[in-house]
Amino acid sequence: MKKAIGVFDSGVGGLTVVKELIRELPYEDIVYFGDTARVPYGIKSRETVIRFSIENVLFLLKQDIKLICVACNTSSSVALPLIKSHFKVPVVGVITPGVKEAVYASQNKRIGVIGTRATIKSRSYENEIKQLDPGVSVVAVSCPLFVPFVEEGWLSGKVVVEVARKYLEPLKRSGVDTVILGCTHYPLIKPVIKEVMGKQVTLIDSARQVAVEVKNILATEGLLNRGRLGRQKFYVSDNPEWFRSLAKRFLGKNVRDVKKV
Ligand code: DGL
């Protein structure tokens, strides 16, 4: 493998970002680490998520990588500044790309944000949005049941729609015209969120923008690979079978080689 892009997530959800990285950067090798032994991060304390995230970075740095992509919204929300200040390698998180896109998309300057409890509590999205445009009002709510729904394959149906209605009610009430899907899992239930929020509301799934940002950094630093198609290596901290069984849903293709570390 050539020098690879290192990606980590709390589990399998970060594969939604890998999917876009492969599409945008087909010649790049990717090393993915999913912390399946300790998932979910979204209900854990800030200190714990920071500790886990740093450990994940240390693991990736041993894999000959040239950039780290923090694919997990929870890790990006609470640990990104620390990771950026402690390590020399370029680091890309998932918050800023989503924020930029949302602020650009919103016409009425009312943006909704949904994510895990830890992401919403950190106010990471809110702070970045306000920094970019202080005139935007933000309504942020956590939707903790969405992660297990997606992992159980409940991507549609009455129960999911009802739960979504309940969670998204404050966003609807405040008339947001743009909603940031601030969690790796939420793009998979986009049709349900769309159904509840209405067709006129723009849903921002930042994975694509993250891939574009990674590409820009690699291009600027002269680190882009060329020549042959990229390869992917997958590492997990537990239960490779579980990871493999869910991978197709998130990545759109099967993964064979998953190693437990
Ligand atoms: N990957 C997490 C995120 O994007 C969702 C799953 C978890 O709670 O660990 O926030």
Side-chain angles (χ1 to χ4, degrees):
M1 266 177 115
K2 301 183 183 175
K3 265 193 183 301
I5 297 170
V7 181
F8 82 82
D9 176 52
S10 55
V12 71
L15 292 177
T16 51
V17 175
V18 172
K19 187 175 171 185
E20 294 302 329
L21 284 171
I22 295 172
R23 206 197 308 250
E24 194 66 31
L25 292 155
Y27 299 108
E28 297 298 328
D29 291 337
I30 295 173
V31 176
Y32 182 92
F33 176 72
D35 195 5
T36 49
R38 305 189 288 194
V39 70
Y41 284 9
I43 53 166
K44 298 202 166 70
S45 72
R46 188 185 153 76
E47 296 69 37
T48 301
V49 175
I50 289 177
R51 179 159 58 85
F52 291 173
S53 303
I54 298 282
E55 287 169 11
N56 300 343
V57 170
L58 291 172
F59 170 78
L60 285 175
L61 287 175
K62 285 191 217 134
Q63 313 303 316
D64 199 23
I65 49 128
K66 56 185 172 185
L67 178 145
I68 288 182
C69 177
V70 182
C72 178
N73 286 259
T74 305
S75 288
S76 290
S77 289
V78 305
L80 201 67
L82 212 91
I83 296 173
K84 281 190 167 168
S85 64
H86 276 67
F87 301 97
K88 276 204 215 105
V89 64
V91 182
V92 176
V94 287
I95 311 295
T96 314
V99 164
K100 281 187 192 155
E101 217 182 325
V103 170
Y104 180 76
S106 176
Q107 300 288 313
N108 71 3
K109 295 197 172 218
R110 286 184 210 153
I111 297 178
V113 179
I114 53 176
T116 64
R117 283 212 176 95
T119 294
I120 299 305
K121 192 169 167 224
S122 77
R123 294 176 161 258
S124 58
Y125 277 105
E126 222 161 319
N127 294 340
E128 287 222 19
I129 290 170
K130 295 276 186 199
Q131 234 167 23
L132 209 59
D133 185 345
V136 172
S137 64
V138 180
V139 186
V141 295
S142 61
C143 308
L145 286 173
F146 284 176
V147 166
F149 276 156
V150 169
E151 292 187 358
E152 288 301 313
W154 291 31
L155 308 182
S156 60
K158 232 166 130 188
V159 175
V160 190
V161 172
E162 269 318 300
V163 170
R165 266 194 225 291
K166 194 157 172 64
Y167 280 147
L168 301 175
E169 211 266 320
L171 272 62
K172 284 202 75 139
R173 210 177 334 117
S174 55
V176 299
D177 70 352
T178 306
V179 175
I180 300 179
L181 308 180
C183 173
T184 47
H185 290 53
Y186 300 176
L188 281 92
I189 48 165
K190 212 169 170 178
V192 169
I193 298 170
K194 192 92 190 165
E195 183 183 330
V196 172
M197 290 307 299
K199 277 202 181 69
Q200 71 292 351
V201 173
T202 309
L203 303 183
I204 305 290
D205 160 6
S206 58
R208 179 127 203 103
Q209 275 316 109
V210 172
V212 171
E213 179 141 347
V214 169
K215 188 177 183 177
N216 288 341
I217 293 177
L218 294 182
T220 311
E221 308 268 325
L223 293 172
L224 280 171
N225 282 350
R226 288 169 219 289
R228 63 154 174 81
L229 283 179
R231 298 175 192 146
Q232 297 95 43
K233 272 190 189 166
F234 299 95
Y235 295 98
V236 292
S237 47
D238 197 15
N239 220 340
E241 306 76 35
W242 176 81
F243 182 88
R244 225 178 278 121
S245 71
L246 285 186
K248 182 146 194 228
R249 192 174 306 147
F250 288 86
L251 188 61
K253 64 173 188 174
N254 285 316
V255 300
R256 274 168 292 131
D257 191 19
V258 184
K259 278 201 189 84
K260 183 180 165 208
V261 288

